[in-house]
Amino acid sequence: MDTLLETPLPPTDPREHLTSPTTRAVLRVQHTMLAAVREYLSEQGFTELLPPVIGPVTDPGARGAKQVDVDYYGHRYKLMTSAILYKQASLTAFDRIFCIAPNVRLEPLETSSTGRHLAEFHQIDVEIAGASREDAMAVAENIVRHAVRRVVERAPDELSALERDTGAFAGLLSGTPFGHRTHASAVAGLHDLGHAQSPDAEIDWVGEALLSKGSDVPFFVTDYPKGSRGFYDKESRDTPGTLRNFDLLAAEGYGELCSGGEREHEYHTIIARMRETGENPAKYAWYLKMVREGIPASAGFGIGLERLTRYVAGLHSVWQASAYPKTPGVVSP
Ligand code: AMP
Ligand code: MG
């Protein structure tokens, strides 16, 4: 696909958007994917929890995006930017959990034309007690493969209405394992392509699109540098300064689908990582009390639902994967 720098904005009339044949086909594809994800994870022994929408604190790791405050009986609460804190806490009840979690992030205005950013979106959020990064990557790979397979089987008319060539999924469906490369190798590859990617940061969205264009099958990027992610991504014991984490990038230039990793779960390490990342531990009282009393070691991830829909349905822009899209900076229903 072409990287669309100038993606058209959604229609301002919600009826026009909802009733367009494209939106209806996309939402059927998304529905089929959600059913497939629930089917797969339920079979694997996961329990679905309904995630909170507001809380006293939320994930601080949403780079560049602003959080939204809510007046909660005179207390300043936040709309959830991600469910990470609740996912870790929930492992005290169940070993394998997932949720389909709404997130609100006021992304910078310049992201309104990336085709990949919404101010409100959803994650397929998974957390597994006692798991390694590799365990979590295997689950993420299985979810994507299973969701694509079910869409190809159960929504062929929608895919053809969207002119999505299912040949694009040949490798994925035949079981070709998703590739793996480290962040350092991805940065080197981007430098070779003439793209000035910082070695100390997340791969920027232009870089992701470049890497993703070079692959027919989704692939993992691992070992992001400390400082590029939130306090909860576990630091490697063998290579300090490197995190035991990963992203999953789609094929064909669609870019990042998912971020995840092993989690820090020990009180003193979490406090130290909060301080290093400029977070005030006092804000995280409920979470830190749970951590101090003990939460399991875990690994998990969040797959952007609208991003996955965009890839599977072959859409120009992520807003097309939402019934009521909130494009950054655009006043919308
Ligand atoms: P993050 O923790 O920032 O990596 O977010 C987890 C996943 O959510 C990403 O891998 C994306 O698939 C998705 N995501 C993050 N931010 C946005 C956004 N602004 N709009 C749509 N999807 C997003
Ligand atoms: Mg990410």
Side-chain angles (χ1 to χ4, degrees), residues 5 7-8 15 51 63 83 93-94 114 151 174 178 236 250 267 274 287 291 299 308 325 329:
L5 290 172
T7 345
R15 180 185 300 272
R63 296 140 294 275
F94 302 102
T114 62
V151 170
S174 70
F178 292 4
S236 166
Y267 182 75
M274 281 181 168
Y287 169 76
V291 169
L308 182 61

Side-chain angles (χ1 to χ4, degrees), residues 107-131:
E107 298 282 3
L109 286 179
E110 59 270 23
T111 63
S112 66
S113 58
T114 62
R116 299 182 22 208
H117 291 86
L118 290 166
E120 181 181 62
F121 62 97
H122 296 77
Q123 292 193 52
I124 303 163
D125 251 320
V126 172
E127 200 68 25
I128 315 165

Side-chain angles (χ1 to χ4, degrees), residues 31-63:
H31 164 76
T32 307
M33 286 191 340
L34 277 172
V37 168
R38 289 192 159 107
E39 173 185 64
Y40 176 78
L41 289 172
S42 301
E43 276 168 10
Q44 299 294 314
F46 285 82
T47 299
E48 179 172 1
L49 301 181
L50 298 175
V53 173
I54 58 171
V57 68
T58 185
D59 181 355
R63 296 140 294 275

Side-chain angles (χ1 to χ4, degrees), residues 6-295:
E6 297 294 333
T7 345
L9 294 174
T12 47
D13 175 16
R15 180 185 300 272
E16 186 186 332
H17 176 58
L18 285 165
T19 57
S20 94
T22 302
T23 306
R24 286 161 51 88
V26 171
L27 295 180
R28 289 298 301 173
V29 167
Q30 190 171 80
H31 164 76
T32 307
M33 286 191 340
L34 277 172
V37 168
R38 289 192 159 107
E39 173 185 64
Y40 176 78
L41 289 172
S42 301
E43 276 168 10
Q44 299 294 314
F46 285 82
T47 299
E48 179 172 1
L49 301 181
L50 298 175
V53 173
I54 58 171
V57 68
T58 185
D59 181 355
R63 296 140 294 275
K66 278 204 206 119
Q67 301 183 353
V68 178
D69 290 342
V70 175
D71 179 358
Y72 184 73
Y73 302 100
H75 298 271
R76 195 204 276 180
Y77 270 36
K78 303 284 183 190
L79 294 180
M80 286 303 125
T81 52
S82 97
I84 179 65
L85 307 176
Y86 296 97
K87 286 204 299 177
Q88 283 188 281
S90 301
L91 296 178
T92 56
F94 302 102
D95 281 350
R96 297 157 84 76
I97 59 112
F98 76 101
C99 41
I100 310 296
N103 297 163
V104 177
R105 299 182 187 179
L106 300 185
E107 298 282 3
L109 286 179
E110 59 270 23
T111 63
S112 66
S113 58
T114 62
R116 299 182 22 208
H117 291 86
L118 290 166
E120 181 181 62
F121 62 97
H122 296 77
Q123 292 193 52
I124 303 163
D125 251 320
V126 172
E127 200 68 25
I128 315 165
S132 66
R133 169 177 72 181
E134 284 65 30
D135 297 332
M137 288 161 73
V139 175
E141 178 165 345
N142 288 341
I143 288 178
V144 170
R145 206 186 300 280
H146 186 73
V148 170
R149 180 170 293 127
R150 286 292 187 252
V151 170
V152 169
E153 286 167 1
R154 296 178 179 169
D157 295 347
E158 286 80 0
L159 289 179
S160 64
L162 295 166
E163 298 180 12
R164 180 58 161 148
D165 177 5
T166 53
F169 304 124
L172 188 150
L173 292 177
S174 70
T176 306
F178 292 4
H180 294 76
R181 65 193 300 182
T182 61
H183 178 271
S185 124
V187 170
L190 286 171
H191 289 172
D192 289 346
L193 292 172
H195 180 68
Q197 169 65 47
S198 160
D200 303 319
E202 291 243 59
I203 309 286
D204 59 46
W205 67 268
V206 176
E208 273 171 29
L210 284 170
L211 292 174
S212 158
K213 255 186 201 154
S215 180
D216 294 339
V217 178
F219 61 96
F220 291 102
V221 177
T222 62
D223 299 295
Y224 283 68
K226 195 169 154 183
S228 69
R229 304 277 264 245
F231 63 80
Y232 42 79
D233 277 15
K234 194 179 187 74
E235 185 170 6
S236 166
R237 272 205 214 105
D238 304 334
T239 47
T242 300
L243 301 170
R244 295 272 308 154
N245 63 1
F246 65 89
D247 268 14
L248 176 63
L249 273 66
E252 302 172 74
Y254 288 99
E256 176 186 340
L257 292 176
C258 164
S259 290
E262 285 172 22
R263 313 302 189 188
E264 300 290 3
H265 71 291
E266 281 163 2
Y267 182 75
H268 293 291
T269 318
I270 290 181
I271 296 280
R273 292 287 307 281
M274 281 181 168
R275 294 217 161 99
E276 281 169 17
T277 54
E279 284 302 307
N280 175 6
K283 289 194 316 191
Y284 294 82
W286 79 265
Y287 169 76
L288 287 173
K289 179 170 185 294
M290 290 209 70
V291 169
R292 198 170 47 233
E293 291 168 0
I295 59 169

